[in-house]
Amino acid sequence: MALPAEPPAVQPALPPLPSDVLVTPVRDAAARMTFIRFPFSLYTGDPNWVPPLEMERKDFLDPKKNPFFEYGEVELFLAWRGQDVVGRIAAIRNPRHQEIHGTKEGFFGLFECVNDAGIARLLLDAAASWLKERGLDSMIGPANFSSNQDWGLLIEGYEVPPAIMMPYNPPYFAALLEACGLVKAKDLFAFDLSSSAEPPEKVVRIAEKMRQREGITVRAVNLKDFPAEVERIREIYNSAWEKNWGFVPFTDKEFDHLAKEMKTIVRPELVLIAEVKGEPVAFSMTLPDANVAIKAANGRLTTFGLPIGLTKMLLASRRIHRLRLITLGIKEGYRRRGLDAILYLDTLRTAHRLGYSGGEISWTLEDNHLVNRAIESMGGKRSKTYRLYQRSL
């Protein structure tokens, strides 16, 4: 994940810094709630924004509840114009990333800002200064907080709401970051796929031939054996992505924490484990797009002590007809055996049987040509692009 060896020959002029805006670190619970609630005013009137649950965001930022804080550091900043919040940002130091990739890269995330490049520059400078004080020499983002959470800035595909656990932002965010001198580090792709689409006959024929020849069996996850299944999936996950750009393996506590959260929304028929001679070697996880239900709650499960938001979520969950294939991983040594096509096919067939209309496959690296071609061979169409930006410190 190293930055380019040489900066551009001509640096663009940076936007002027507004004299009436103050950036301050978040130091107490009240400021933290202000940080969490700022997007609710920023996205007023945007039909595609999905308000996060305030309770979930509080837990995410709580060092006592988010296992990331057992090794990572985060500093939150708010930008104020008088009594009004006009932006926010998080500076993130991930020592496990530094160790694994041998770099001194830090990150910024949770970026939200009014359409003012000067304010964006103040926020980015605050994050950059905090990272530089800790001996880091470059900054990448948006990252919330690592590659195992939502990554990147939406730069194409604003027409529809984000899928579950994917970021969303106004189109002007990219212009803000670029005006402040940030440049592209890597693009991430999302693909749209209909469950009613007939996969190419050639792909089906090859996949079924490989299934028989390699002795591949595919089964749904067994929730009655949940702890053991989580361990099997964790082993495959960390093996499958260990050489990917920017990847940092989950710690045991992080993986267990995420698994516990996902268990509440998962449909076991859509979490598939592929085995060769009884050994788990690949898996795919597809989730119902719970954003449909989350949006209905408008950030809160209860109002005046009544479960109004929760009731709205339960009612809206009946309208979920799309999915997100969130991850598909194959152990080293078992790739190029058709396992990806087999898992795609079985997921498509199951989704169609369960009545889902289709969904999103996201995200993939722009230069992971093997995976991107496999998705396109199944009928997937690129629908969104997300960008990670970088800057030297």
Side-chain angles (χ1 to χ4, degrees):
M1 291 183 67
L3 293 171
E6 297 181 2
V10 179
Q11 296 287 350
L14 295 175
L17 297 174
S19 59
D20 60 341
V21 175
L22 180 67
V23 174
T24 62
V26 170
R27 288 287 181 257
D28 55 38
R32 189 173 294 108
M33 282 308 302
T34 300
F35 186 95
I36 290 170
R37 289 174 177 164
F38 170 61
F40 286 79
S41 60
L42 184 67
Y43 289 89
T44 298
D46 189 330
N48 290 327
W49 183 62
V50 178
L53 295 175
E54 289 185 1
M55 178 181 66
E56 183 276 331
R57 289 289 86 184
K58 286 174 67 177
D59 289 351
F60 182 74
L61 295 175
D62 188 341
K64 296 179 181 178
K65 295 184 178 180
N66 185 343
F68 175 84
F69 288 95
E70 292 190 0
Y71 61 87
E73 290 182 82
V74 177
E75 184 77 279
L76 307 178
F77 296 94
L78 286 167
W80 299 84
R81 175 172 273 143
Q83 298 299 310
D84 297 325
V85 177
V86 289
R88 73 175 200 184
I89 200 169
I92 304 149
R93 188 179 82 88
N94 186 338
R96 298 186 73 234
H97 179 276
Q98 294 172 243
E99 179 183 348
I100 289 167
H101 294 279
T103 67
K104 293 183 178 180
E105 292 165 337
F107 298 89
F108 73 93
L110 302 176
F111 175 78
E112 304 284 0
C113 188
V114 297
N115 193 2
D116 186 313
I119 297 174
R121 182 183 168 193
L122 280 172
L123 288 165
L124 291 162
D125 284 353
S129 295
W130 186 88
L131 294 169
K132 192 172 182 179
E133 288 171 2
R134 282 149 184 80
L136 302 172
D137 60 17
S138 59
M139 180 171 75
I140 293 178
N144 308 322
F145 292 132
S146 75
S147 61
N148 296 314
Q149 279 85 38
D150 59 283
W151 252 31
L153 191 81
L154 181 66
I155 63 168
E156 293 177 340
Y158 300 98
E159 299 80 14
V160 295
I164 184 171
M165 298 174 68
M166 291 296 288
Y168 177 79
N169 53 265
Y172 69 81
F173 272 23
L176 292 185
L177 297 186
E178 290 165 13
C180 294
L182 278 74
V183 297
K184 172 185 170 181
K186 186 77 70 174
D187 279 354
L188 315 173
F189 294 157
F191 296 83
D192 193 79
L193 188 62
S194 169
S195 66
S196 60
E198 287 293 332
E201 181 183 345
K202 181 180 178 181
V203 173
V204 175
R205 185 174 67 252
I206 293 173
E208 297 304 334
K209 182 179 178 180
M210 297 297 288
R211 193 193 304 256
Q212 296 299 319
R213 191 180 79 184
E214 299 286 340
I216 298 167
T217 59
V218 177
R219 63 175 179 83
V221 70
N222 180 6
L223 294 185
K224 293 181 179 179
D225 192 26
F226 188 68
E229 294 283 61
V230 168
E231 180 56 37
R232 294 178 188 112
I233 291 173
R234 172 174 34 226
E235 182 183 349
I236 298 169
Y237 182 88
N238 285 340
S239 169
W241 277 271
E242 64 179 349
K243 296 180 181 178
N244 272 16
W245 183 88
F247 176 69
V248 175
F250 278 109
T251 64
D252 289 352
K253 287 187 178 180
E254 283 181 303
F255 203 90
D256 290 343
H257 180 77
L258 183 62
K260 188 180 295 185
E261 287 185 334
M262 288 188 174
K263 189 179 181 182
T264 60
I265 60 172
V266 75
R267 291 202 67 164
E269 308 99 312
L270 290 165
V271 181
L272 304 178
I273 297 176
E275 300 176 338
V276 175
K277 298 178 181 178
E279 178 189 354
V281 298
F283 84 102
S284 65
M285 178 179 293
T286 304
L287 300 176
D289 190 1
N291 269 1
V292 174
I294 293 170
K295 185 174 183 177
N298 197 32
R300 297 185 180 184
L301 295 180
T302 60
T303 304
F304 302 117
L306 300 174
I308 295 173
L310 180 59
T311 301
K312 289 180 177 179
M313 281 184 64
L314 293 173
L315 292 172
S317 66
R318 301 174 185 175
R319 302 196 303 269
I320 297 174
H321 59 87
R322 284 177 59 81
L323 302 162
R324 179 189 169 204
L325 196 160
I326 192 169
T327 185
L328 188 155
I330 303 170
K331 271 187 178 180
E332 184 75 36
Y334 291 90
R335 293 162 195 165
R336 299 181 184 273
R337 297 194 189 186
L339 281 159
D340 51 352
I342 291 168
L343 289 169
Y344 285 139
L345 282 171
D346 287 9
T347 298
L348 272 175
R349 291 163 176 165
T350 303
H352 184 69
R353 175 173 59 82
L354 294 175
Y356 291 98
S357 63
E360 180 173 293
I361 301 173
S362 58
W363 46 264
T364 70
L365 293 169
E366 63 176 329
D367 49 5
N368 194 338
H369 304 300
L370 183 65
V371 167
N372 293 335
R373 283 197 296 266
I375 294 171
E376 290 170 344
S377 74
M378 296 298 299
K381 306 292 184 184
R382 268 185 56 194
S383 55
K384 296 183 180 182
T385 304
Y386 301 84
R387 178 163 294 172
L388 284 156
Y389 285 87
Q390 62 188 9
R391 154 184 173 177
S392 295
L393 302 182

